[in-house]
Amino acid sequence: MAAAIRAHLDSHPSHIDISCDAKNAFNSYCRSCMWSPLREKFPALYTLARVMYGAPASIIFPEPGADVAEVLNSVGSRQGCTWGSFLYCLSIHSILTKLAAEFTDLLILAYCDDVHIVGDPKRAVKAYHRWAFLYGEVLQGELRDEKGKAYSPTIPEAQLRSLGLPASMPVVRDG
C-alpha cells in the first residue's frame, strides 16, 4: 500500500494522502453489516458465523467485594477471534466501495482498518468527511481525526485547513 501511495504522490506532487483511524475499529463495528455480504460472497461460512456471532456474547466483570457484573455485547469481533479481521473487512467493504464510486478521481486504499484517501486536496478532504459520515451511519463507529494524518510534502498546512481538514488532524511533510 505504501508503494502505491508513494508512486501516486511522486506522479502527482500536488496531491495528498489522508490516513484514517477508526476508534476501536475491530471492537465496535455494527455486526449487522456483515450478514448480507457474508451470505452473498461466502455462503458456506454463513451458518458457522451465525453460530459464532448470531447472539450477543456475555462479558463478565468480576469485582472484588461486589457482585459479578455481566454485559451482553453484540458489536465488533470477539476478543481473540481468528475471524476478527475478516469480518471487519467484510463489514466495511460495501461502504469503501460506495466511497470509491462517489470519488472516482481519488485513490481509495484499505488494508483492514488502515484506510487511505489519496488525490487532489480539495476532493480528498471532502472524501474524508464522507468516509467519516458513512462509517458512523453504517457501522455506528467513529473516526479519530487526531490519530489520522494528512501527508503532503508540497501543500501548506494552512491551505489544507482552509479546505476543511479537521483542526485536530496532524499534517506531516515526511511520510
Side-chain angles (χ1 to χ4, degrees):
M1 188 158 57
I5 293 168
R6 168 61 50 210
H8 180 94
L9 293 176
D10 285 348
S11 296
H12 303 87
S14 64
H15 286 185
I16 64 168
D17 168 31
I18 299 177
S19 66
C20 310
D21 185 83
K23 182 178 181 181
N24 294 318
F26 296 96
N27 300 323
S28 60
Y29 68 92
C30 179
R31 287 184 192 162
S32 65
C33 297
M34 68 186 181
W35 299 123
S36 180
L38 188 62
R39 180 179 288 189
E40 180 185 319
K41 293 179 178 27
F42 302 96
L45 300 177
Y46 181 79
T47 302
L48 178 59
R50 274 302 215 192
V51 169
M52 294 170 57
Y53 282 93
S58 177
I59 301 174
I60 306 296
F61 294 98
E63 294 291 331
D67 291 335
V68 172
E70 177 184 22
V71 174
L72 294 178
N73 179 19
S74 61
V75 298
S77 303
R78 293 207 166 114
Q79 196 66 29
C81 179
T82 56
W83 282 31
S85 295
F86 167 67
L87 294 174
Y88 176 78
C89 292
L90 196 61
S91 297
I92 69 168
H93 184 263
S94 66
I95 56 176
L96 279 171
T97 302
K98 181 179 178 95
L99 184 71
E102 291 177 15
F103 293 90
T104 57
D105 55 320
L106 299 177
L107 182 61
I108 309 291
L109 298 170
Y111 180 79
C112 292
D113 64 331
D114 292 330
V115 175
H116 289 260
I117 300 168
V118 185
D120 173 74
K122 184 176 183 178
R123 296 282 294 155
V125 169
K126 186 174 181 177
Y128 176 78
H129 289 290
R130 179 68 173 148
W131 172 240
F133 173 79
L134 290 170
Y135 196 85
E137 179 184 60
V138 176
L139 295 177
Q140 306 303 304
E142 64 182 279
L143 298 187
R144 297 187 307 180
D145 297 340
E146 73 283 358
K147 294 285 187 171
K149 286 189 177 105
Y151 166 71
S152 173
T154 60
I155 311 297
E157 180 176 346
Q159 181 181 347
L160 295 175
R161 300 286 179 216
S162 73
L163 297 172
L165 188 73
S168 60
M169 182 178 284
V171 175
V172 295
R173 293 224 171 269
D174 33 345

